[in-house]
Amino acid sequence: MIKLVLADDEHLVRGAIAALLGLEDDIEVVAEVGRGDQVVDSVLEHDANIAVLDIEMPGATGLEVAARLKERASGCGVVILTSFGRPGYLRRALSAGARGFLAKDAPVEQLAGAVRKVHQGGRYIDTDLAAAAMVGGESPLTDRESEVLRAAADGSTVAAIAKSLHLREGTVRNYLSNAIGKMGAENRMVAIRTAQDMGWL
């Protein structure tokens, strides 16, 4: 029996996926959580074999959770479910240790198949998402440029970003300017939107 923890902040979606997976003879949903920061504890508590994670969740993103599971519960395979077919997400998910990646609107048979394949030590990557990732290419942003853009996404001032990241204001302006140039954007909000659409943030 494959013991599975399901994490998604949308209650109805989570309930529907759990119900459908529960119909499979060899899969048991041992816990459902609505926050990313609850996943690792649930996996450890239930000795789960697989964690199925949404990307966008409060507390921690699915990508952050995948990286934490890699450190603290390396025997638990990670399958990322996403409604965002952004190319950068696939690359980041694989880097974080995920071995499965598919769209939320995939048929339950496909999800169950992905769970089984990952449980057996393999990988399952949605072919359409993989093709999009190959076309999209690597992020041109450095880690610091990405970090500054993420901090700027809520409209924070340069001073506030500098304080939160322990940088000088001039350094923040330089990172923003570099990122805007690399994105070919008119301003930082356009650069942020572009990077988010590509899944680079």
Side-chain angles (χ1 to χ4, degrees):
M1 184 65 77
I2 301 169
K3 293 188 287 184
L4 183 148
V5 169
L6 175 61
D8 193 307
D9 63 329
E10 295 179 62
H11 186 74
L12 285 174
V13 172
R14 188 174 72 240
I17 293 170
L20 290 168
L21 285 176
L23 298 174
E24 302 292 321
D25 292 338
D26 57 343
I27 297 173
E28 179 187 4
V29 179
V30 293
E32 298 176 45
V33 298
R35 296 178 54 88
D37 52 9
Q38 298 171 333
V39 175
V40 174
D41 288 343
S42 289
V43 165
L44 294 172
E45 179 186 346
H46 296 282
D47 194 25
N49 310 114
I50 297 287
V52 174
L53 311 174
D54 185 20
I55 286 187
E56 296 294 337
M57 294 184 286
T61 69
L63 302 179
E64 291 166 338
V65 173
R68 291 175 193 172
L69 286 171
K70 190 176 178 181
E71 289 178 6
R72 296 189 52 201
S74 58
C76 180
V78 173
V79 175
I80 297 284
L81 268 187
T82 181
S83 50
F84 305 104
R86 298 171 183 166
Y89 278 155
L90 173 56
R91 294 173 187 274
R92 288 168 58 204
L94 294 176
S95 295
R99 296 206 313 270
F101 194 90
L102 65 162
K104 268 189 183 177
D105 60 0
V108 70
E109 298 81 16
Q110 190 177 354
L111 174 56
V115 166
R116 291 183 186 104
K117 190 161 186 181
V118 169
H119 182 248
Q120 291 162 1
R123 285 187 189 277
Y124 187 97
I125 311 296
D126 180 279
T127 52
D128 291 339
L129 294 176
M134 290 170 64
V135 170
E138 295 279 0
S139 171
L141 302 171
T142 65
D143 290 344
R144 264 305 199 193
E145 288 164 356
S146 297
E147 186 179 29
V148 168
L149 276 188
R150 271 193 294 275
D154 63 358
S156 293
T157 64
V158 167
I161 295 167
K163 185 175 181 182
S164 71
L165 298 180
H166 308 292
L167 297 170
R168 293 193 171 134
E169 290 184 26
T171 305
V172 169
R173 286 192 190 90
N174 287 340
Y175 283 132
L176 286 172
S177 177
N178 290 344
I180 290 166
K182 288 178 179 180
M183 296 284 100
E186 303 159 18
N187 56 53
R188 67 171 164 169
M189 294 317 292
V190 173
I192 290 163
R193 267 199 311 275
T194 301
Q196 287 174 336
D197 287 346
M198 292 301 292
W200 292 333
L201 292 185

